[in-house]
Amino acid sequence: MTNKYDVVVIGSGVVGSSIAYHLSEKKDKEILVLDQSYPLSGTSGSTQAWVWVHNKTPAWYGELSMLSAELYPFLERKIGDVEYKRTGGIAPFFNEADRESARRLAEKQAEVGIDIDVLTREQVLEKEPALSANIAGATFSKIDGNVNPFRLVELYIKAAKKNHVQFSFYNPVMDIKRNNGMFEITTEKDVFIAKQIVLATGPWTREVGKLLGVDIPVKQVRGQILVTEPLAPLIKYTIAGMRQADNGEILIGYSKEEVGYDRRTTLDVIQDTAKMAVDYIPALAKANIVRCFAGVRVIPNDGYPIVGPIPTIDNAYIAVMHSGITLSPLVGTLMTELLTDGETSIDLKNLQLDRFNEFKSFV
Ligand SMILES: Cc1cc2nc3c(=O)[nH]c(=O)nc-3n(C[C@H](O)[C@H](O)[C@H](O)COP(=O)(O)OP(=O)(O)OC[C@H]3O[C@@H](n4cnc5c(N)ncnc54)[C@H](O)[C@@H]3O)c2cc1C
């Protein structure tokens, strides 16, 4: 292993490994990915993994998610079977009063080509008979689906390695300095030199940003998920709140709590989540829950991804977001364009770091 690279990516979750893989397709850069732990130790190993588009708002954000979902079949042909299923997505509502906002959502998303149907109770139950008869209706879109995050990250890394990307795991970045226009990255095991650096550090981005002299406005938000025993096929669609994996397990939950890096599960949220599951799918009352897990999301302060250059430091870039599973194929593609050509095929203006008043740079 040399210690000089064109690009060092910090973080080997779904975002960092996608960037490394897409960049390696060009075969013209020496690339190193560093991780303080192992690739699925962060959020990417504790996620629902919906590839979810239809109620991402405003419409430009929905459009980005749609474009990324569109890349998944092509990605699978390149890196292998990541168990991507374009199941279609259902977001139920329980009050007739919500139908009007569902219609408005459909109208808005149609402006960017996201096709949403607003369904009656009967139409939803015809599609997904396991849903509760108490629902009033749902929004439905064909583009939504889900993926196996473990296979996704593993196959990104395998494909990147095939293209000669180097990885160094269990190797935290402890310091970053600028030296003659290059980055000097001190890790627990070594010092690496890089022309370009990418922060893909998920929930840890604030801490790693500080090593570069920038304060990046993101917060940590815990989510707790319940997992059932493997069940016979029960739900066909990805439902806002749950999905059934290929092995029959149903993953349930979308809780949000700001408790820092605490990844414990708690009885109150488990109980609320179980109640939500049964309200949605009454048959789940009989299912055994075999485990619960919690993950720490990173959520930029305004809720939208931060993707692009760090404005005050030449050759430093950032890619941090909620919905990194949905967005990883597109983010990998756009970051490759940016690092290679300095411009992107899709305007990143909504995603720039300097949109935040809270963004602070000490360099
Ligand atoms: C409960 C839950 C449900 C979710 N559901 C969905 C969903 O349905 N669909 C969706 O699209 N998204 C979902 N998300 C969000 C999604 O999982 C994340 O956006 C995505 O995993 C983020 O990937 P990442 O690569 O940015 O971060 P991570 O996977 O956290 O990777 C960051 C990496 O950086 C490394 N790192 C940090 N600091 C250092 C350092 N100093 N030195 C070296 N390495 C370092 C870490 O070890 C880690 O491996 C969910 C998240 C949670 C918690």
Side-chain angles (χ1 to χ4, degrees):
M1 192 188 249
T2 152
N3 72 345
K4 281 201 171 137
Y5 291 87
D6 295 306
V7 183
V8 167
V9 178
I10 309 177
S12 67
V14 71
V15 173
S17 59
S18 168
I19 294 169
Y21 161 65
H22 283 92
L23 198 55
S24 74
E25 286 186 300
K26 298 265 181 197
K27 300 204 164 92
D28 62 354
K29 286 189 195 295
E30 299 272 348
I31 303 161
L32 170 70
V33 182
L34 294 167
D35 203 289
Q36 65 185 359
S37 189
Y38 59 93
L40 287 148
S41 60
T43 320
S44 306
S46 54
T47 174
Q48 267 279 21
W50 310 334
V51 177
W52 191 255
V53 176
H54 93 249
N55 46 14
K56 296 268 171 67
T57 55
W60 64 260
Y61 182 40
E63 184 183 32
L64 274 188
S65 309
M66 175 182 68
L67 294 173
S68 198
E70 295 288 12
L71 291 173
Y72 261 103
F74 182 48
L75 178 71
E76 273 203 314
R77 290 184 64 176
K78 294 191 290 177
I79 69 172
D81 178 10
V82 296
E83 293 175 15
Y84 169 63
K85 296 180 293 295
R86 193 171 287 179
T87 55
I90 292 180
F93 51 85
F94 284 81
N95 295 305
E96 206 41 54
D98 292 332
R99 187 172 300 280
E100 192 41 44
S101 46
R103 277 204 197 99
R104 277 199 301 273
L105 175 76
E107 257 170 44
K108 270 279 156 220
Q109 302 296 59
E111 287 171 16
V112 292
I114 302 170
D115 198 7
I116 297 179
D117 295 330
V118 182
L119 304 181
T120 61
R121 174 194 288 117
E122 291 68 31
Q123 286 169 323
V124 190
L125 293 177
E126 199 176 309
K127 277 189 184 306
E128 191 69 286
L131 271 166
S132 164
N134 289 334
I135 59 165
T139 47
F140 169 76
S141 136
K142 289 196 188 107
I143 186 77
D144 301 306
N146 59 72
V147 68
N148 179 334
F150 300 96
R151 288 191 64 85
L152 178 63
V153 173
E154 184 193 340
L155 290 181
Y156 271 140
I157 292 176
K158 244 190 192 157
K161 281 186 173 165
K162 228 169 153 186
N163 291 342
H164 309 296
V165 175
Q166 305 279 307
F167 287 83
S168 177
F169 298 135
Y170 298 102
N171 193 9
V173 171
M174 298 183 312
D175 196 16
I176 308 173
K177 286 203 165 51
R178 290 281 272 163
N179 206 343
N180 293 327
M182 304 289 269
F183 295 97
E184 194 178 284
I185 302 155
T186 303
T187 66
E188 197 170 275
K189 297 183 188 167
D190 212 335
V191 177
F192 299 100
I193 309 293
K195 286 187 201 151
Q196 294 174 307
I197 193 170
V198 181
L199 264 53
T201 38
W204 296 271
T205 299
R206 203 153 207 159
E207 284 81 349
V208 179
K210 281 185 184 145
L211 301 179
L212 265 176
V214 287
D215 185 15
I216 295 162
V218 295
K219 56 189 174 194
Q220 294 97 25
V221 180
R222 180 169 72 185
Q224 301 189 35
I225 306 290
L226 268 52
V227 185
T228 69
E229 62 192 326
L231 300 170
L234 179 66
I235 54 177
K236 237 169 70 192
Y237 295 88
T238 306
I239 298 176
M242 64 189 81
R243 71 173 172 103
Q244 187 159 25
D246 282 6
N247 68 356
E249 290 177 343
I250 297 186
L251 279 75
I252 307 159
Y254 55 54
S255 64
K256 288 187 174 161
E257 303 159 274
E258 288 191 35
V259 290
Y261 293 103
D262 183 347
R263 278 182 66 172
R264 282 175 296 184
T265 52
T266 59
L267 188 60
D268 55 342
V269 173
I270 290 173
Q271 285 173 334
D272 283 352
T273 305
K275 183 176 176 315
M276 181 269 286
V278 177
D279 285 348
Y280 274 42
I281 309 278
L284 284 176
K286 293 203 188 99
N288 288 311
I289 298 298
V290 292
R291 68 186 171 97
C292 311
F293 66 85
V296 179
R297 304 176 172 92
V298 59
I299 306 203
N301 283 1
D302 64 359
Y304 301 108
I306 308 175
V307 178
I310 295 179
T312 50
I313 308 173
D314 285 347
N315 294 318
Y317 301 83
I318 181 164
V320 58
M321 70 212 69
H322 189 265
S323 301
I325 302 287
T326 303
L327 292 169
S328 75
L330 185 69
V331 167
T333 306
L334 295 174
M335 287 298 280
T336 298
E337 293 172 354
L338 193 59
L339 282 136
T340 309
D341 306 326
E343 52 187 40
T344 50
S345 51
I346 293 172
D347 193 347
L348 295 181
K349 77 172 178 330
N350 289 321
L351 309 183
Q352 303 280 2
L353 184 52
D354 53 12
R355 69 181 187 266
F356 292 96
N357 293 330
E358 312 96 288
F359 166 63
K360 285 193 193 74
S361 176
F362 306 100
V363 286

PDB file of all heavy atoms in Angstrom, residues 262-278:
ATOM      1  N   ASP A 262     -26.465   7.406  20.967  1.00  0.00           N
ATOM      2  CA  ASP A 262     -27.009   6.301  21.762  1.00  0.00           C
ATOM      3  C   ASP A 262     -27.800   5.353  20.850  1.00  0.00           C
ATOM      4  O   ASP A 262     -28.828   5.738  20.286  1.00  0.00           O
ATOM      5  CB  ASP A 262     -27.917   6.899  22.849  1.00  0.00           C
ATOM      6  CG  ASP A 262     -28.477   5.835  23.781  1.00  0.00           C
ATOM      7  OD1 ASP A 262     -28.368   4.634  23.459  1.00  0.00           O
ATOM      8  OD2 ASP A 262     -29.037   6.214  24.830  1.00  0.00           O
ATOM      9  N   ARG A 263     -27.328   4.118  20.735  1.00  0.00           N
ATOM     10  CA  ARG A 263     -27.988   3.162  19.833  1.00  0.00           C
ATOM     11  C   ARG A 263     -28.801   2.116  20.592  1.00  0.00           C
ATOM     12  O   ARG A 263     -29.091   1.047  20.052  1.00  0.00           O
ATOM     13  CB  ARG A 263     -26.953   2.469  18.946  1.00  0.00           C
ATOM     14  CG  ARG A 263     -26.565   3.299  17.763  1.00  0.00           C
ATOM     15  CD  ARG A 263     -25.596   2.606  16.859  1.00  0.00           C
ATOM     16  NE  ARG A 263     -26.152   1.442  16.196  1.00  0.00           N
ATOM     17  CZ  ARG A 263     -25.530   0.767  15.254  1.00  0.00           C
ATOM     18  NH1 ARG A 263     -24.333   1.161  14.861  1.00  0.00           N
ATOM     19  NH2 ARG A 263     -26.079  -0.286  14.709  1.00  0.00           N
ATOM     20  N   ARG A 264     -29.201   2.438  21.835  1.00  0.00           N
ATOM     21  CA  ARG A 264     -30.026   1.461  22.549  1.00  0.00           C
ATOM     22  C   ARG A 264     -31.454   1.476  22.007  1.00  0.00           C
ATOM     23  O   ARG A 264     -31.919   2.499  21.508  1.00  0.00           O
ATOM     24  CB  ARG A 264     -30.040   1.785  24.044  1.00  0.00           C
ATOM     25  CG  ARG A 264     -28.766   1.337  24.729  1.00  0.00           C
ATOM     26  CD  ARG A 264     -28.740   1.760  26.153  1.00  0.00           C
ATOM     27  NE  ARG A 264     -28.723   3.230  26.266  1.00  0.00           N
ATOM     28  CZ  ARG A 264     -28.617   3.868  27.406  1.00  0.00           C
ATOM     29  NH1 ARG A 264     -28.536   3.211  28.536  1.00  0.00           N
ATOM     30  NH2 ARG A 264     -28.597   5.193  27.443  1.00  0.00           N
ATOM     31  N   THR A 265     -32.130   0.344  22.146  1.00  0.00           N
ATOM     32  CA  THR A 265     -33.565   0.336  21.865  1.00  0.00           C
ATOM     33  C   THR A 265     -34.300   0.531  23.189  1.00  0.00           C
ATOM     34  O   THR A 265     -33.760   0.197  24.248  1.00  0.00           O
ATOM     35  CB  THR A 265     -33.993  -0.989  21.211  1.00  0.00           C
ATOM     36  OG1 THR A 265     -33.517  -2.071  22.008  1.00  0.00           O
ATOM     37  CG2 THR A 265     -33.443  -1.124  19.812  1.00  0.00           C
ATOM     38  N   THR A 266     -35.513   1.095  23.119  1.00  0.00           N
ATOM     39  CA  THR A 266     -36.216   1.408  24.369  1.00  0.00           C
ATOM     40  C   THR A 266     -37.647   0.865  24.293  1.00  0.00           C
ATOM     41  O   THR A 266     -38.261   0.841  23.220  1.00  0.00           O
ATOM     42  CB  THR A 266     -36.283   2.932  24.587  1.00  0.00           C
ATOM     43  OG1 THR A 266     -36.956   3.519  23.475  1.00  0.00           O
ATOM     44  CG2 THR A 266     -34.907   3.547  24.731  1.00  0.00           C
ATOM     45  N   LEU A 267     -38.149   0.464  25.458  1.00  0.00           N
ATOM     46  CA  LEU A 267     -39.451  -0.198  25.510  1.00  0.00           C
ATOM     47  C   LEU A 267     -40.584   0.681  24.965  1.00  0.00           C
ATOM     48  O   LEU A 267     -41.443   0.209  24.225  1.00  0.00           O
ATOM     49  CB  LEU A 267     -39.749  -0.622  26.954  1.00  0.00           C
ATOM     50  CG  LEU A 267     -40.993  -1.490  27.124  1.00  0.00           C
ATOM     51  CD1 LEU A 267     -40.892  -2.782  26.326  1.00  0.00           C
ATOM     52  CD2 LEU A 267     -41.223  -1.794  28.605  1.00  0.00           C
ATOM     53  N   ASP A 268     -40.555   2.001  25.291  1.00  0.00           N
ATOM     54  CA  ASP A 268     -41.670   2.855  24.845  1.00  0.00           C
ATOM     55  C   ASP A 268     -41.751   2.910  23.318  1.00  0.00           C
ATOM     56  O   ASP A 268     -42.832   2.764  22.735  1.00  0.00           O
ATOM     57  CB  ASP A 268     -41.561   4.275  25.456  1.00  0.00           C
ATOM     58  CG  ASP A 268     -40.230   4.945  25.162  1.00  0.00           C
ATOM     59  OD1 ASP A 268     -39.260   4.243  24.792  1.00  0.00           O
ATOM     60  OD2 ASP A 268     -40.138   6.181  25.292  1.00  0.00           O
ATOM     61  N   VAL A 269     -40.591   3.067  22.663  1.00  0.00           N
ATOM     62  CA  VAL A 269     -40.623   3.154  21.193  1.00  0.00           C
ATOM     63  C   VAL A 269     -40.960   1.788  20.592  1.00  0.00           C
ATOM     64  O   VAL A 269     -41.721   1.689  19.614  1.00  0.00           O
ATOM     65  CB  VAL A 269     -39.286   3.716  20.644  1.00  0.00           C
ATOM     66  CG1 VAL A 269     -39.260   3.654  19.128  1.00  0.00           C
ATOM     67  CG2 VAL A 269     -39.089   5.153  21.116  1.00  0.00           C
ATOM     68  N   ILE A 270     -40.448   0.730  21.204  1.00  0.00           N
ATOM     69  CA  ILE A 270     -40.775  -0.616  20.706  1.00  0.00           C
ATOM     70  C   ILE A 270     -42.296  -0.831  20.768  1.00  0.00           C
ATOM     71  O   ILE A 270     -42.905  -1.325  19.817  1.00  0.00           O
ATOM     72  CB  ILE A 270     -40.044  -1.690  21.546  1.00  0.00           C
ATOM     73  CG1 ILE A 270     -38.544  -1.643  21.253  1.00  0.00           C
ATOM     74  CG2 ILE A 270     -40.586  -3.086  21.266  1.00  0.00           C
ATOM     75  CD1 ILE A 270     -37.720  -2.543  22.153  1.00  0.00           C
ATOM     76  N   GLN A 271     -42.891  -0.415  21.882  1.00  0.00           N
ATOM     77  CA  GLN A 271     -44.343  -0.607  22.028  1.00  0.00           C
ATOM     78  C   GLN A 271     -45.125   0.241  21.016  1.00  0.00           C
ATOM     79  O   GLN A 271     -46.069  -0.241  20.388  1.00  0.00           O
ATOM     80  CB  GLN A 271     -44.776  -0.274  23.461  1.00  0.00           C
ATOM     81  CG  GLN A 271     -44.374  -1.383  24.424  1.00  0.00           C
ATOM     82  CD  GLN A 271     -44.638  -1.023  25.886  1.00  0.00           C
ATOM     83  OE1 GLN A 271     -44.671   0.141  26.258  1.00  0.00           O
ATOM     84  NE2 GLN A 271     -44.818  -2.037  26.717  1.00  0.00           N
ATOM     85  N   ASP A 272     -44.709   1.504  20.854  1.00  0.00           N
ATOM     86  CA  ASP A 272     -45.397   2.371  19.867  1.00  0.00           C
ATOM     87  C   ASP A 272     -45.271   1.794  18.460  1.00  0.00           C
ATOM     88  O   ASP A 272     -46.216   1.823  17.670  1.00  0.00           O
ATOM     89  CB  ASP A 272     -44.761   3.777  19.838  1.00  0.00           C
ATOM     90  CG  ASP A 272     -45.193   4.604  21.022  1.00  0.00           C
ATOM     91  OD1 ASP A 272     -46.086   4.148  21.761  1.00  0.00           O
ATOM     92  OD2 ASP A 272     -44.619   5.700  21.218  1.00  0.00           O
ATOM     93  N   THR A 273     -44.067   1.286  18.173  1.00  0.00           N
ATOM     94  CA  THR A 273     -43.829   0.744  16.831  1.00  0.00           C
ATOM     95  C   THR A 273     -44.683  -0.505  16.608  1.00  0.00           C
ATOM     96  O   THR A 273     -45.274  -0.697  15.534  1.00  0.00           O
ATOM     97  CB  THR A 273     -42.323   0.427  16.648  1.00  0.00           C
ATOM     98  OG1 THR A 273     -41.582   1.610  16.944  1.00  0.00           O
ATOM     99  CG2 THR A 273     -42.001  -0.013  15.232  1.00  0.00           C
ATOM    100  N   ALA A 274     -44.769  -1.340  17.622  1.00  0.00           N
ATOM    101  CA  ALA A 274     -45.576  -2.558  17.503  1.00  0.00           C
ATOM    102  C   ALA A 274     -47.049  -2.194  17.296  1.00  0.00           C
ATOM    103  O   ALA A 274     -47.760  -2.802  16.492  1.00  0.00           O
ATOM    104  CB  ALA A 274     -45.412  -3.417  18.756  1.00  0.00           C
ATOM    105  N   LYS A 275     -47.490  -1.143  17.991  1.00  0.00           N
ATOM    106  CA  LYS A 275     -48.892  -0.718  17.853  1.00  0.00           C
ATOM    107  C   LYS A 275     -49.144  -0.208  16.436  1.00  0.00           C
ATOM    108  O   LYS A 275     -50.148  -0.549  15.802  1.00  0.00           O
ATOM    109  CB  LYS A 275     -49.200   0.369  18.892  1.00  0.00           C
ATOM    110  CG  LYS A 275     -50.638   0.791  18.862  1.00  0.00           C
ATOM    111  CD  LYS A 275     -50.958   1.794  19.950  1.00  0.00           C
ATOM    112  CE  LYS A 275     -52.403   2.275  19.833  1.00  0.00           C
ATOM    113  NZ  LYS A 275     -52.844   2.616  18.488  1.00  0.00           N
ATOM    114  N   MET A 276     -48.193   0.578  15.942  1.00  0.00           N
ATOM    115  CA  MET A 276     -48.317   1.092  14.568  1.00  0.00           C
ATOM    116  C   MET A 276     -48.405  -0.081  13.585  1.00  0.00           C
ATOM    117  O   MET A 276     -49.247  -0.101  12.683  1.00  0.00           O
ATOM    118  CB  MET A 276     -47.100   1.978  14.258  1.00  0.00           C
ATOM    119  CG  MET A 276     -47.060   2.629  12.901  1.00  0.00           C
ATOM    120  SD  MET A 276     -46.235   1.680  11.621  1.00  0.00           S
ATOM    121  CE  MET A 276     -44.516   1.840  12.031  1.00  0.00           C
ATOM    122  N   ALA A 277     -47.573  -1.102  13.825  1.00  0.00           N
ATOM    123  CA  ALA A 277     -47.555  -2.252  12.911  1.00  0.00           C
ATOM    124  C   ALA A 277     -48.926  -2.917  12.852  1.00  0.00           C
ATOM    125  O   ALA A 277     -49.441  -3.235  11.773  1.00  0.00           O
ATOM    126  CB  ALA A 277     -46.501  -3.255  13.379  1.00  0.00           C
ATOM    127  N   VAL A 278     -49.535  -3.103  14.024  1.00  0.00           N
ATOM    128  CA  VAL A 278     -50.825  -3.802  14.078  1.00  0.00           C
ATOM    129  C   VAL A 278     -51.948  -2.900  13.545  1.00  0.00           C
ATOM    130  O   VAL A 278     -52.879  -3.381  12.892  1.00  0.00           O
ATOM    131  CB  VAL A 278     -51.113  -4.290  15.516  1.00  0.00           C
ATOM    132  CG1 VAL A 278     -52.481  -4.950  15.611  1.00  0.00           C
ATOM    133  CG2 VAL A 278     -50.028  -5.270  15.950  1.00  0.00           C
TER     134      VAL A 278
END
